[in-house]
Amino acid sequence: MESFSESYKAAGVDITAGYKAVELMKKHVARTRTDGVISGIGGFGGLFKPDFAGMEEPVLISGTDGVGTKIKLAFLLDKHNTIGIDSVAMCVNDVICCGAKPLFFLDYIAIGKNIPEKVAAIVEGIAEGCVQSECALVGGETAEHPGLMPEDEYDVAGFCVGIADKPKMIDGSGLQAGDVLIGLRSSGVHSNGFSLVRKIFDINEQTIHNTYPELDKPLGEALLTPTKIYVKPILALMKEVEVKAVSHITGGGFYENIPRMLKEGMTAKIIKENIPVLPIFTLMQRVGGISEHDMFNTFNMGVGMVTAVAKEDAEKALEVLKANGEDAVVLGEVIEGSEGVVFA
């Protein structure tokens, strides 16, 4: 007998829509399959067999995050196939800071009304993020929540597991004064600070289409640009030089995130003129009248990831990153001190 509940549908939950959404997303999930996957979607758990070959002490490293209020822009633009990239990026960009290769990812989508095509579009973005990070999408959950959220709204969260060999993990313990700080450029605002972004521009159905001389596309499109995923370039860099520390520049900007990569007694000295500040941040500071301190304490300012290497490895690190599609820049150096971050 076919699974269907007229009573549940009358209460606002259409389980047949869920089945259709699963069918529509299967082609996207298939793109993410890696050698370790030993189950398809639809079961009660996603099965993955990790390969520990060549590792002395395998360590599993996990990360979880959501997209935040950036998701409101997807509603306003009715564009749902990129927000999933942000969901993946916010997780894999965290675990790569430990030097962990992402293995698999699961998503959770809470939605007011399950429209299969919309859910499939969200998963399309999640799958794209997984492909970019060579991470398998092994499962997920779509929960229809009538009465809890408006029918046309949803939220997305993700969870990923990565693996690293403990002797090769990145933990900042080898940092010393004189080490060089290298910045990997961001694609835009990424996925943090959007409560302030929406306040600055008074984001609504009209203002989201505003144009500005600083931007090469309408405001909403510029802000919805997906978070950049740094997994492949960081893994490539680790093969060529000793990567001493890595920091994902997300919520809290420079002031909160860079100190997380430093050991006690170390400070990051940043040369301000070396920061590749993107036009969107200059625009936000101008329109919102935001102080420079608050900008650097909230946003990535054009740098999505910071890594530290020995001074003698800096040139090679830049070459490796360039060969892997990153136009990286020298941001400054590690110095002795307890200030966390100082600008020069």
Side-chain angles (χ1 to χ4, degrees), residues 286-308:
R286 175 175 66 81
V287 173
I290 309 298
S291 70
E292 183 177 76
H293 176 276
D294 286 358
M295 290 295 295
F296 278 96
N297 210 154
T298 308
F299 303 111
N300 67 64
M301 300 302 288
V303 177
M305 192 76 76
V306 176
T307 183

Side-chain angles (χ1 to χ4, degrees), residues 89-105:
M90 297 304 285
C91 297
V92 299
N93 283 346
D94 278 353
V95 302
I96 196 63
C97 290
C98 298
K101 174 179 170 51
L103 294 176
F104 58 85
F105 186 87

Side-chain angles (χ1 to χ4, degrees), residues 24-239:
L24 291 175
M25 69 177 70
K26 280 184 177 179
K27 64 181 180 181
H28 303 304
V29 176
R31 295 180 59 217
T32 76
R33 191 176 182 90
T34 62
D35 291 340
V37 178
I38 56 176
S39 68
I41 60 171
F44 288 101
L47 308 183
F48 191 94
K49 184 180 180 181
D51 182 4
F52 297 142
M55 292 191 176
E56 296 179 36
E57 287 186 79
V59 177
L60 295 179
I61 300 168
S62 59
T64 186
D65 209 341
V67 179
T69 62
K70 180 177 184 175
I71 214 159
K72 294 282 285 186
L73 279 74
F75 303 159
L76 291 171
L77 291 175
D78 194 24
K79 180 175 174 58
H80 311 287
N81 66 344
T82 63
I83 205 73
I85 299 175
D86 293 285
S87 177
V88 175
M90 297 304 285
C91 297
V92 299
N93 283 346
D94 278 353
V95 302
I96 196 63
C97 290
C98 298
K101 174 179 170 51
L103 294 176
F104 58 85
F105 186 87
L106 293 96
D107 65 78
Y108 179 84
I109 303 170
I111 194 164
K113 181 177 177 59
N114 189 337
I115 301 172
E117 293 75 13
K118 180 183 286 187
V119 172
I122 299 168
V123 174
E124 177 186 351
I126 293 171
E128 174 59 29
C130 287
V131 169
Q132 289 183 22
S133 52
E134 297 183 337
C135 179
L137 178 56
V138 297
E141 172 70 10
T142 302
E144 197 168 18
H145 288 167
L148 185 61
M149 58 177 62
E151 288 190 353
D152 60 347
E153 293 191 2
Y154 58 85
D155 196 14
V156 182
F159 169 84
C160 77
V161 171
I163 190 168
D165 195 2
K166 190 175 180 181
K168 299 177 183 178
M169 284 177 59
I170 301 171
D171 61 8
S173 61
L175 277 175
Q176 58 186 24
D179 286 342
V180 174
L181 298 170
I182 295 175
L184 282 67
R185 296 171 189 260
S186 70
S187 58
V189 185
H190 284 185
S191 297
N192 66 277
F194 271 85
S195 294
L196 178 55
V197 171
R198 291 185 298 112
K199 182 175 185 292
I200 289 171
F201 293 111
D202 187 24
I203 295 291
N204 56 47
E205 293 87 348
Q206 286 76 44
T207 58
I208 201 168
H209 299 291
N210 286 351
T211 58
Y212 295 88
E214 291 93 335
L215 305 179
D216 60 0
K217 59 186 69 174
L219 178 63
E221 290 183 38
L223 292 173
L224 200 59
T225 300
T227 304
K228 194 171 185 179
I229 291 175
Y230 299 97
V231 170
K232 290 181 181 179
I234 293 295
L235 289 176
L237 184 63
M238 288 175 64
K239 292 178 180 178

Side-chain angles (χ1 to χ4, degrees), residues 317-329:
L318 291 171
E319 291 174 358
V320 172
L321 290 169
K322 184 175 182 179
N324 285 272
E326 295 294 329
D327 183 17
V329 298

